Amino acid sequence: MRDRPLLTIIVPCYNEEEVLHETMKQLGTILRDMKDKLVIAEASDLLFVDDGSRDRTWEIIADAMSRHDFVSGVKLSRNFGHQNALLAGMQAAEGRADCIISIDSDLQDDVGVIPDFIEKYRAGYEVVYGIRDERKTDTRFKRGSAHLFYSMMGKFGIHLIPDHADYRLLGSLALQEMNLFPENNIFLRGIVPLIGFKSEKVYYHRKERFAGESKYPLKKMLAFAADGLTSFSVAPIRLVTGLGALMFVVAIVIGIYTFIQHLNGTAEAGWSSLMLSIWVIGGVQMMSLGVVGEYIGRIYSEVKQRPRFIVEQNSYLKDGEK
Ligand code: UDP
Ligand code: MG
């Protein structure tokens, strides 16, 4: 059994003024409870990462920091997206926490299982995945699209943990390794299984958002799926190559057919098939260019090596420290 760990719960927040008070209250209670039961270290805390919110999110965090010493905050200089916000929190916690738990701020993920995560950690697991055991409360569209996403990713050789989002515990060893992944288009739930270590699962019911709206509109979801796919697999490029080869075979067959028609003196009759093939080939070419361009775009963004997030304030550090 591992000793009482110093736990940091990392909560990325983007325009979450409506839920934040409740989130702090619930997480604070759980933290207090675990401290009282001597399960976690007294210095364990909640780390809120403000991902460039435009509402009162940071004021709420700053106010809570001034009143409670179990509340810490990192403020990003603008909106960098959920994954980067999480990463910012993970990097801030590295070296301080013995383990971290990442959780959304909207209370959709059941905070009641946090002690289970810790129990697994203390039993020696370095990575603990939170798994939703049902998705009744998600819209039918969201459920359907999520399953399509997992099966598609699986076909491309990317094995994700089904029904696991970003509710997970990482021990300091896993955290250290995680922070070494330098890629720009970071897709955490794809990377965590790659780092290995002993892992376990904790099941929970996913609820409705406590308040406010989803910060993941369809556009962001699609971009997220594309990031996940292209940052882990070159299968789409191979698919395009295969399509190209197939088209080549089809073209030979059509060529022979056209030649025979020509010998028969009925060449005009071939007009429709000719038109058809022009369009098919044109379409495939356009699509292929698109896929190739998608990868080039990603190579471009990776080689620039831009920082993935920029911290404006970090309550763990004293003024002037970086
Ligand atoms: N989030 C963020 N930056 C963003 C979008 C979302 O930090 O650009 C946070 C958000 O505040 C929440 C979590 O990521 O804590 C998950 O977002 P949301 O609940 O809106 O997504 P959904 O549950 O609808 O997929
Ligand atoms: Mg949510």
Side-chain angles (χ1 to χ4, degrees):
M1 196 73 164
R2 293 199 219 190
D3 210 25
R4 291 166 63 190
L6 197 163
L7 165 70
T8 293
I9 300 180
I10 301 176
V11 193
C13 316
Y14 179 52
N15 296 340
E16 299 285 10
E17 60 180 8
E18 286 157 274
V19 291
L20 219 49
H21 285 295
E22 184 63 25
T23 309
M24 281 177 184
K25 204 173 102 195
Q26 292 196 14
L27 288 175
T29 309
I30 295 227
L31 211 61
R32 186 67 262 156
D33 204 47
M34 289 193 293
K35 287 178 189 175
D36 290 345
K37 287 183 181 145
L38 304 181
V39 175
I40 54 173
E42 194 56 40
S44 299
D45 63 344
L46 307 177
L47 174 59
F48 292 92
V49 182
D50 175 20
D51 186 15
S53 300
R54 263 165 294 192
D55 63 359
R56 293 190 57 256
T57 298
W58 181 250
E59 276 99 278
I60 296 172
I61 297 170
D63 174 61
M65 282 195 293
S66 66
R67 287 186 293 122
H68 309 289
D69 50 7
F70 65 89
V71 177
S72 312
V74 165
K75 182 182 194 300
L76 302 187
S77 62
R78 64 168 169 85
N79 181 243
F80 284 89
H82 175 217
Q83 300 285 295
N84 289 319
L86 245 178
L87 207 69
M90 284 163 40
Q91 288 191 7
E94 191 186 326
R96 180 178 182 278
D98 296 318
C99 61
I100 63 111
I101 292 177
S102 50
I103 185 170
D104 288 355
S105 53
D106 56 5
L107 297 173
Q108 277 191 284
D109 302 323
D110 183 7
V111 299
V113 297
I114 290 179
D116 300 346
F117 279 81
I118 297 299
E119 198 182 302
K120 304 274 187 216
Y121 172 77
R122 294 189 67 192
Y125 292 98
E126 195 60 24
V127 178
V128 185
Y129 299 104
I131 314 275
R132 311 170 199 172
D133 59 2
E134 43 138 25
R135 299 184 69 129
K136 275 198 206 112
T137 50
D138 270 343
T139 60
R140 177 176 290 216
F141 171 72
K142 194 138 193 174
R143 231 183 313 165
S145 60
H147 278 136
L148 186 74
F149 178 61
Y150 289 122
S151 68
M152 195 179 81
M153 295 293 265
K155 291 214 171 69
F156 282 119
I158 307 156
H159 299 290
L160 299 174
I161 312 273
D163 292 329
H164 161 68
D166 285 300
Y167 190 19
R168 75 174 78 84
L169 176 145
L170 294 177
S172 57
L173 287 176
L175 188 63
Q176 238 171 38
E177 297 308 324
M178 186 76 244
N179 286 340
L180 290 179
F181 280 74
E183 59 230 68
N184 245 289
N185 277 312
I186 196 119
F187 186 64
L188 293 172
R189 64 188 85 160
I191 288 178
V192 178
L194 292 184
I195 60 174
F197 295 110
K198 226 170 111 173
S199 69
E200 240 303 25
K201 292 173 181 167
V202 162
Y203 292 86
Y204 68 97
H205 289 277
R206 187 163 159 98
K207 304 182 209 150
E208 294 284 6
R209 207 172 216 291
F210 184 78
E213 281 160 17
S214 172
K215 309 297 183 288
Y216 264 104
L218 181 62
K219 208 175 124 202
K220 264 195 189 172
M221 261 167 60
L222 289 178
F224 188 54
D227 270 354
L229 185 61
T230 52
S231 56
F232 275 90
S233 164
V234 291
I237 282 188
R238 301 222 178 96
L239 194 76
V240 167
T241 317
L243 263 180
L246 192 74
M247 278 298 135
F248 185 67
V249 173
V250 172
I252 290 175
V253 173
I254 289 182
I256 295 171
Y257 171 74
T258 315
F259 188 61
I260 294 171
Q261 291 288 300
H262 180 74
L263 289 183
N264 288 344
T266 49
E268 295 93 273
W271 184 80
S272 46
S273 55
L274 197 65
M275 281 307 277
L276 198 75
S277 34
I278 289 173
W279 282 99
V280 169
I281 292 169
V284 170
Q285 278 177 339
M286 289 301 269
M287 197 187 81
S288 315
L289 275 179
V291 175
V292 173
E294 189 76 11
Y295 278 91
I296 294 180
R298 260 148 241 272
I299 294 171
Y300 180 60
S301 76
E302 294 297 341
V303 296
K304 278 188 294 197
Q305 298 258 320
R306 287 192 178 161
R308 294 174 290 189
F309 53 82
I310 294 166
V311 173
E312 192 175 313
Q313 257 168 278
N314 179 343
S315 71
Y316 284 146
L317 305 176
K318 290 177 214 82
D319 283 346
E321 231 182 326
K322 263 263 177 189

